[in-house]
Amino acid sequence: MDKTSNGHAAAIAVRAGKAGAAFDKIRLDYPPQTAAYAALLEVYYSAANRSTCRPCGGALLVAPYGSGKTVALQMLRDSAAQDAGTGSSPVLLVEMSTSGTVESIPTSILLAMDQPRAEAGSEKARWARAIAEIERSQVCLVVFDEFNRASRRNTMSKPIVTTIREKIMDSGVAAVALVGSDEASVVLRSCPEMVQRLDDHIDLSPLDTLIPEDMADLQTFLGDLDSELASPELLGGLSYLHAEDMAVKLCLATGGRIRGIMKIIRAAMLSAIRDGRTTIDEADLFSATDIMAVRQNLVSVNPFAAVS
């Protein structure tokens, strides 16, 4: 390969790399995600304004992987932090351990609060540290993300839920939000006491092509995204991703999960840029779907397969 070819390849790589970074910075309103965030924000403000030392309530958010849960939780944390004082963390995001045990809960809380030697000491001692840190940081709402992991051991599901209820909610320490996939709901079936304590059940399910409201939300979102992609630092032209046929195929290609939709469009955008084009076509989307979804066994059929 001569110097001219090397230089051309390098220029394309730079262009594609910068476009990928710009794409990752795009932030748009996604109505289902915004609705979940607003519902969680209500739970937070209810907890923040409750009487001290009284038992706390909470909420369950069912959100399968890739449905927009992570961004909704980040929006919640950032909104709550705006009014917080120095050293205060009103919303604490805790990721449940993959071990799925009662003993791991205080450790996960301490890790979420960046505490050193989170695994040190007995379970009782770790709980004492965790509660003390929650109170010191003025946490109003503890969010247990990936709560579906509590279902990994059948014998552990009820003890995990009961421990969270007794240690945090019944003690008046903070309200609790349990967040996870459908398995999170299964966990709660064995714990009617916890179900009765939850004030809200929030749904952030994948989009469904058979639900008109879902497709309307998706088409609006894709139209906004297409406008962003038309900027000079990205594609520079409109790809009409919001067309009904295109929206349906993107939904089918990802099982209605917004993260998957964004990944496919990002890959398709880079394909167009490498070819020197200013718009995404169905061939780009076919290739992106094949790489990002079909080969990963996320879907079995590529809805863009008819494109030659």
Side-chain angles (χ1 to χ4, degrees):
M1 186 178 291
D2 58 30
K3 291 183 178 179
T4 300
S5 297
N6 284 336
H8 180 65
I12 292 176
V14 170
R15 169 93 169 85
K18 289 183 176 180
F23 184 94
D24 295 339
K25 293 177 182 177
I26 294 175
R27 296 293 181 268
L28 299 171
D29 177 47
Y30 174 54
Q33 187 179 68
T34 303
Y37 152 71
L40 286 170
L41 197 61
E42 288 182 17
V43 175
Y44 161 70
Y45 276 113
S46 177
N49 290 280
R50 68 181 176 83
S51 300
T52 57
C53 299
R54 295 193 61 181
C56 305
L60 170 68
L61 169 59
V62 176
Y65 176 80
S67 59
K69 169 200 68 177
T70 300
V71 173
L73 295 181
Q74 291 171 346
M75 291 166 62
L76 170 68
R77 180 195 59 199
D78 294 345
S79 292
Q82 290 179 0
D83 300 325
T86 303
S88 175
S89 301
V91 172
L92 177 64
L93 303 184
V94 179
E95 183 174 333
M96 293 290 288
S97 170
T98 55
S99 64
T101 63
V102 173
E103 293 79 8
S104 68
I105 301 172
T107 302
S108 296
I109 293 173
L110 291 168
L111 287 171
M113 304 189 81
D114 296 322
Q115 292 299 299
R117 304 180 66 229
E119 298 178 353
S122 65
E123 180 187 351
K124 182 178 179 180
R126 281 180 281 123
W127 263 116
R129 287 177 59 199
I131 296 300
E133 284 302 317
I134 288 174
E135 293 177 338
R136 183 188 65 79
S137 299
Q138 300 177 343
V139 175
C140 296
L141 177 64
V142 181
V143 178
F144 287 97
D145 195 9
E146 304 295 344
F147 189 71
N148 43 285
R149 291 173 179 171
S151 68
R152 292 187 174 182
R153 300 185 183 187
N154 292 334
T155 57
M156 284 288 105
S157 296
K158 187 171 183 177
I160 287 173
V161 175
T162 301
T163 299
I164 290 174
R165 177 175 58 80
E166 293 178 347
K167 295 285 188 180
I168 301 178
M169 300 171 72
D170 289 353
S171 301
V173 174
V176 164
L178 308 175
V179 181
S181 59
D182 291 333
E183 287 83 358
S185 296
V186 175
V187 173
L188 291 182
R189 289 175 188 169
S190 62
C191 309
E193 300 90 350
M194 175 63 99
V195 174
Q196 293 173 11
R197 294 293 301 282
L198 299 179
D199 304 310
D200 202 354
H201 291 251
I202 308 164
D203 181 54
L204 187 52
S205 297
L207 299 170
D208 189 332
T209 58
L210 299 179
I211 300 177
E213 293 82 0
D214 281 4
M215 296 313 299
D217 284 342
L218 179 56
Q219 287 182 268
T220 298
F221 177 83
L222 291 173
D224 293 340
L225 179 58
D226 205 17
S227 296
E228 293 286 336
L229 293 177
S231 67
E233 62 181 343
L234 292 170
L235 284 170
L238 292 172
S239 303
Y240 300 100
L241 299 173
H242 63 288
E244 182 178 359
D245 180 59
M246 195 78 81
V248 168
K249 289 181 179 179
L250 282 167
C251 192
L252 293 174
T254 58
R257 289 167 168 79
I258 193 64
R259 182 184 298 177
I261 290 172
M262 291 295 284
K263 284 183 174 293
I264 285 176
I265 292 175
R266 185 184 191 277
M269 174 196 74
L270 295 178
S271 176
I273 288 174
R274 294 186 189 108
D275 285 348
R277 290 179 281 110
T278 59
T279 60
I280 293 171
D281 60 24
E282 289 211 25
D284 297 320
L285 292 167
F286 165 70
S287 297
T289 299
D290 185 59
I291 295 170
M292 307 301 298
V294 177
R295 296 185 191 178
Q296 307 304 321
N297 295 318
L298 300 178
V299 295
S300 59
V301 177
N302 190 330
F304 297 101
V307 179
S308 60

